[in-house]
Amino acid sequence: MFIRQFEFCMEDSALHLDCAIKNLRLLQDEICREISAMKKTDIFLVTGHMEECCDAMFSTLRELERIQSEMDSAIEVLYKKEV
């Protein structure tokens, strides 16, 4: 019974984690496009903060991907134990 509950929670968490990673990637792409457009038009010259946000999102995404990989491995091990 505990293993089933554990698997269910891990699967739900893995799905939420996947959605969070996709959302962060979309945000990162949008910010990068905005920065690029501003640099080309010279309309808004202060891009340092947005560039730092992109850098921060990159490292956050890498960490989320690492966690997701570990969770996927744990789920796979649990399924193999049941079979």
Side-chain angles (χ1 to χ4, degrees):
M1 182 72 133
F2 174 73
I3 290 178
R4 281 275 185 215
Q5 289 174 341
F6 176 75
E7 287 177 56
F8 180 73
C9 292
M10 289 289 283
E11 287 174 346
D12 283 353
S13 296
L15 289 172
H16 290 296
L17 188 56
D18 184 54
C19 288
I21 290 168
K22 288 176 184 175
N23 285 334
L24 281 173
R25 287 223 182 273
L26 289 171
L27 288 169
Q28 183 182 35
D29 289 345
E30 186 61 31
I31 290 172
C32 288
R33 275 194 292 272
E34 185 70 21
I35 290 170
S36 178
M38 283 188 280
K39 284 184 175 180
K40 286 179 184 176
T41 60
D42 286 330
I43 292 174
F44 183 71
L45 299 176
V46 183
T47 60
H49 178 69
M50 283 191 277
E51 288 173 333
E52 288 174 359
C53 289
C54 287
D55 291 344
M57 280 191 281
F58 177 78
S59 61
T60 301
L61 283 165
R62 296 292 299 181
E63 185 61 17
L64 287 172
E65 289 170 337
R66 182 194 63 77
I67 293 167
Q68 183 182 32
S69 176
E70 289 179 3
M71 289 174 69
D72 289 344
S73 295
I75 291 168
E76 188 175 321
V77 167
L78 285 172
Y79 278 127
K80 286 181 180 179
K81 284 183 180 181
E82 278 192 8
V83 174

